[in-house]
Amino acid sequence: MSCLNDALIQSIVDGEAVVGDKDGEAVVGDQDGDARAHLASCARCQMRVRERETVMQAIGQSMSMPADLPPDTRLRVERTLAEASRAGATRLRENRAARWSWPRALWSAGAVVAATLIAVVFVAPTINSPATVSAAEILAKSATLLATRASTGVEVLEYELALDGVPREMMPDHADGIYRMKQIIDHDVSGRYLVATHGPDGQLISSVAQDPASRRRIVAVLIDDQPYRFEFSVPEGVVLSLPEMERVHMQASIAMMQASGDKRLEVIDTPDGRRYRIQVPQVSAQTSTAVWDLTEASVVVDASDYHIVEFAVKGTFLKQPYSVSYKLIARTIGAHLSADAFEVPRDPRAIDIEGEGSAIPARDVLVASLREYARLRTQRDSR
Amino acid sequence: MDVPLNASHAAQDLFRQHGAAVYRFAIALLRHHQDAEDVVQETFLKLLRHLGGGGSMENVRGWLFTVAAHALRDRQRRRSRWIPWAPDHEGIVEPAQLLDEDGRMRMLRTALRQLPARDRLLLALRAQGLSYQEIAAAAGIRFSSVGRLLARAVDRCEHACAAQVAIGKPRAIKPERHGLL
């Protein structure tokens, strides 16, 4: 037999029988005996075995971690496994209180707000786990902060948003689902805001600005490198804004986390100060019938004032998987901005479309586009 | 999730036996305490469901590492999708301090971090003492291929070390996103 190949040397070093491969099936037989017989008489192969043993030992050492399970993790897992025979180990989904069957009226922004308030004010506080009081308290404070918006001044938020699933599909671009967002919210004028979405390369993908005082909403969007600019009249009484909807989603998700019995709290000291990370570990979706459901959630909260700096959820919406991840980059309250800060910059290449607005900007864009298309076709046919 | 009492007891026993090993395996690849803890919890919750559903107790250790390896992959994919790489996300957990007078251990660790994900997974499974049969199941490869792929992984590791020697110092690493897997 000729000298052993590397795979045979490896098998011998690892104390495994040398196997052959016949029609895709592992075969242990003559090859093992032949290889060992050769090894016994070949000084070169013996040396290669010794060298490989040394390397494998070094690799094993280099991969060794000074790690044993942290006592609190050990206790938590043991407790979860022990409790499983009594009450259920996975709480986010199994806990009945957390399994809300949200009505289809979720589409209605008003229903979202109402449901969130019910969840935050009435449902969440009734569910409490003695082992997770601290996490629950932090979440409650964050939820309260979310519910209590800044009352005056201009707030500027810059954050990174990563979307997957349903919300990503709803985005007008073909980016990879990671966006850099900028929000300017005027708390002195209800419903006045600007939201700008940039792709990972910094290119402006879309921008939405609304000013109820002038009853105007501008939506600028870039599709296939063609800019479009929609200008809508905003009906009276529309105060729910995109930032508001995002805040409500965050608030509702926090409420669901509050309802979970299996929250995990970690204290992190960062250069920017102390933070709390709260996670609801992943539970697999089984037979959820809820319109909206979460399978995993985590939030990082600034310990100084409980504002949320990171937020990530994964779940299903209308049985379609989705995930949202938010990471705050900068936040300024009481910013002094020029009047045009709320203006969407005009691109000279943009195709302008005008229409009547409603409370739902995405719907308005669709309706206005279809009307414009119909108008152009009628115009063409009449020539 | 209601599971029989005996399944719960069995899962607790298996957690005491293998929990630390699964944790070390996860932390060796992810190098992040929180994520490694998540993987452990997820793995043993799945074990509980497996046992509660009348699943087999045969080769439980291999089963555990298979589930843990899948959880690691899922976590890695999710992290890379959610959060861009940043230095403070990387290398939170440092490997054990070992006597390394000539710097070879450091060089080896640098080389290991440069390996493709599957190579690192195979070496980590082997470092935990898993048999080829168990490694094949956990890594989703054919049993007859384990020796060959392990040998290739070791070769790549040695070449990466040699490359560092050639330029006189450990090469600057371009870290892969979030951990080693």
Side-chain angles (χ1 to χ4, degrees), chain A residues 92 279-283 294-298 312-315, chain B residues 38 75 78 82:
Chain A
L92 187 62
Q279 286 187 302
V280 175
Q282 184 180 19
V283 288
L294 296 186
T295 53
E296 192 172 357
S298 83
V313 292
K314 194 175 179 186
Chain B
D38 287 350
R75 194 153 292 276
R78 200 161 50 243
W82 280 13

Side-chain angles (χ1 to χ4, degrees), chain A residues 6 14 16 21 26 52 55 62 67 73 76 81 84 90 94 160 164 262 264 266 279 281 312 323, chain B residues 1 3 5 8 20 23-24 34 37-38 41-42 48-49 81-82 84 109 112 126 132 142-143 155 158:
Chain A
D6 285 348
D14 289 334
E16 294 277 336
D21 186 351
R52 183 56 58 115
V55 172
S62 72
T73 306
R76 190 181 59 247
L81 296 175
T90 50
E94 273 71 15
E160 186 180 275
D164 206 358
D262 191 13
R264 306 172 55 182
E266 183 187 14
Q279 286 187 302
S323 69
Chain B
M1 179 181 60
V3 295
L5 193 60
S8 172
Y23 180 66
R24 278 194 295 274
Q34 188 74 33
E37 288 169 35
D38 287 350
Q41 175 154 318
E42 188 180 327
L48 184 65
R49 289 189 200 111
R81 204 167 53 227
W82 280 13
R109 283 177 173 158
L112 283 167
R126 183 63 208 151
Y132 279 14
R142 281 164 42 193
F143 169 55
D155 285 346
E158 287 187 307

Side-chain angles (χ1 to χ4, degrees), chain A residues 6-7 10-17 19-21 23-28 51-52 55-56 58-70 72-78 80-90 94 160 162-164 168 176-178 262 264-266 277 279 281-284 286 296 298 310 312-314 323-325 327, chain B residues 1-5 8-9 11-12 15-16 19-20 23-24 27-29 31-35 37-42 44-46 48-49 74-75 78 80-84 86 88-89 93-98 105 108-109 112 120-121 123-124 126-128 130-133 142-155 157-158 177 180:
Chain A
D6 285 348
Q10 186 71 43
S11 299
I12 288 168
V13 168
D14 289 334
E16 294 277 336
V19 296
D21 186 351
D23 300 329
E25 294 295 320
V27 179
V28 181
E51 285 174 355
R52 183 56 58 115
V55 172
M56 289 305 289
I59 288 174
Q61 283 180 341
S62 72
M63 290 191 115
S64 70
M65 288 286 160
D68 198 2
L69 263 171
D72 59 332
T73 306
R74 183 179 290 279
L75 278 174
R76 190 181 59 247
V77 176
E78 283 181 348
T80 306
L81 296 175
E83 285 176 355
S85 59
R86 296 196 294 272
T90 50
E94 273 71 15
E160 186 180 275
L163 306 174
D164 206 358
R168 180 177 165 184
D176 65 356
I178 296 176
D262 191 13
R264 306 172 55 182
L265 171 64
E266 183 187 14
R277 177 187 286 147
Q279 286 187 302
Q282 184 180 19
V283 288
S284 58
Q286 299 289 334
E296 192 172 357
S298 83
E310 286 182 43
V313 292
K314 194 175 179 186
S323 69
V324 173
S325 172
K327 189 172 184 181
Chain B
M1 179 181 60
D2 292 323
V3 295
L5 193 60
S8 172
H9 286 161
Q12 289 174 67
F15 173 67
R16 287 184 204 110
Y23 180 66
R24 278 194 295 274
I27 212 163
L29 290 168
R31 299 183 68 207
H32 191 285
H33 280 301
Q34 188 74 33
D35 284 350
E37 288 169 35
D38 287 350
V39 166
V40 171
Q41 175 154 318
E42 188 180 327
F44 282 92
L45 280 175
K46 282 185 177 166
L48 184 65
R49 289 189 200 111
D74 288 347
R75 194 153 292 276
R78 200 161 50 243
S80 61
R81 204 167 53 227
W82 280 13
I83 313 168
D88 58 333
H89 296 151
V93 180
E94 288 302 322
Q97 293 295 316
L98 297 168
M105 198 57 71
L108 190 54
R109 283 177 173 158
L112 283 167
R120 291 193 298 266
L121 174 64
L123 291 172
R126 183 63 208 151
Q128 290 300 322
L130 266 68
S131 69
Y132 279 14
Q133 197 81 50
R142 281 164 42 193
F143 169 55
S144 58
S145 302
V146 175
R148 178 170 52 83
L149 294 175
L150 264 174
R152 196 177 293 169
V154 175
D155 285 346
C157 189
E158 287 187 307
R177 298 170 87 178
L180 291 175

Side-chain angles (χ1 to χ4, degrees), chain A residues 90-247:
Chain A
T90 50
R91 299 300 183 76
L92 187 62
R93 187 171 295 280
E94 273 71 15
N95 191 325
R96 290 185 177 191
R99 293 184 62 170
W100 303 315
S101 181
W102 290 52
R104 284 190 179 272
L106 189 68
W107 286 107
S108 154
V112 173
V113 175
T116 303
L117 288 175
I118 290 167
V120 171
V121 177
F122 299 110
V123 178
T126 63
I127 304 154
N128 205 355
S129 161
T132 54
V133 169
S134 298
E137 283 174 355
I138 293 162
L139 287 175
K141 285 180 177 174
S142 287
T144 305
L145 189 72
L146 276 170
T148 320
R149 293 177 305 168
S151 55
T152 57
V154 174
E155 181 177 5
V156 180
L157 291 173
E158 286 181 60
Y159 55 94
E160 186 180 275
L161 192 65
L163 306 174
D164 206 358
V166 179
R168 180 177 165 184
E169 299 302 323
M170 289 169 70
M171 294 299 281
D173 61 282
H174 300 289
D176 65 356
I178 296 176
Y179 308 94
R180 175 117 177 190
M181 310 288 295
K182 183 172 184 178
Q183 281 187 9
I184 308 176
I185 310 158
D186 187 347
H187 294 294
D188 295 326
V189 181
S190 183
R192 187 184 187 213
Y193 68 89
L194 178 137
V195 178
T197 307
H198 298 261
D201 56 358
Q203 184 176 37
L204 183 66
I205 293 173
S206 67
S207 190
V208 182
Q210 178 175 289
D211 187 354
S214 62
R215 292 197 181 179
R216 230 169 44 109
R217 182 192 299 134
I218 305 293
V219 178
V221 61
L222 187 71
I223 297 174
D224 296 338
D225 208 32
Q226 170 61 55
Y228 297 82
R229 184 183 176 92
F230 297 85
E231 182 164 346
F232 298 106
S233 58
V234 179
E236 195 169 1
V238 172
V239 292
L240 192 70
S241 63
L242 285 179
E244 184 77 355
M245 291 164 98
E246 193 173 286
R247 187 179 66 84

Side-chain angles (χ1 to χ4, degrees), chain A residues 11-51:
Chain A
S11 299
I12 288 168
V13 168
D14 289 334
E16 294 277 336
V18 172
V19 296
D21 186 351
K22 187 178 182 184
D23 300 329
E25 294 295 320
V27 179
V28 181
D30 292 345
Q31 195 174 1
D32 188 55
D34 291 348
R36 291 179 194 280
H38 171 82
L39 181 63
S41 61
C42 177
R44 179 173 172 269
C45 285
Q46 288 169 10
M47 188 182 73
R48 287 170 63 208
V49 166
R50 284 196 297 275
E51 285 174 355

